[in-house]
Amino acid sequence: VNFSLSSDEKGPSLVALSSPRIERRWAGAKTVVLVTSDTHRADHVGGSSRNVGVETPFLDILADKGVMFEDAYASTNITNPSHASLMTALSPRDTRMVDNNTVLAEHAVTLAERYQQAGYFTLAALSAGHMNHRQSGLSQGFDRLWVPSGKADVESRISIEHLDEWLDEADGLPLFVWLHVFDAHAPYKVPDELRWRYYDENKDPYSESCALPKGARVPWDAAVRDLDFVTSQYMSEVTYLDTQLEGFLSNPRFQNAVIAITGD
């Protein structure tokens, strides 16, 4: 294939090219959505038999309508290697990824590449900066992918906004979407309306009267003295995430979609 650029402008020009793709508009193709919730414990889902008291009404509805796996294990407890395993169905032993600085090999075949080869439009928004392609290789197979710059992480609301902007482009096309969310990962940044949902607001978690275990310290909030407060903030983050997923997955495009939600 030959490409050429014609311009009336004087001086140098910049052109960015990618491989052409053939779009097939399938009337019956199911939209597929994968949500990975970083550091999301199995007992922090309302519908779980081991639920610790956290409220996740939207996830509970999905569980009631579908299938909930309560005895599932991640391949590893580190973000990038775990997601590489989810995307390739390979163990970290085979991907050779054991930390957040090892890149998935280009010859690895990912779930997104399989969908792309089948004619799907593939979208992803990842909420942790260290999941960028240069550091993880996880962008393989995506037509559109957004990730925060640098080492930053963002709340699910921001990642969802980026996906919402792209959904119109997928109108009439078979669609695969990956949303990675980081809300349940420390440090916890709980909205004011949920800050006291699981903790008595009459108590002071920073009071010297709280018996902080010897040697214990919360890296992102060194002044806190009550570890129950930290746990409550984690629970609040999970409930907040539930509201964000409800808003996102209420999009008409997802009403008959295949939806999978998992911790990493």
Side-chain angles (χ1 to χ4, degrees), residues 108-122:
V109 180
T110 67
L111 183 63
E113 287 175 305
R114 289 298 193 198
Y115 277 112
Q116 197 176 56
Q117 290 163 4
Y120 274 65
F121 191 49
T122 54

Side-chain angles (χ1 to χ4, degrees), residues 136-150:
S136 72
L138 291 170
S139 299
Q140 292 179 203
F142 286 101
D143 296 303
R144 302 279 188 280
L145 183 141
W146 180 85
V147 63
S149 60

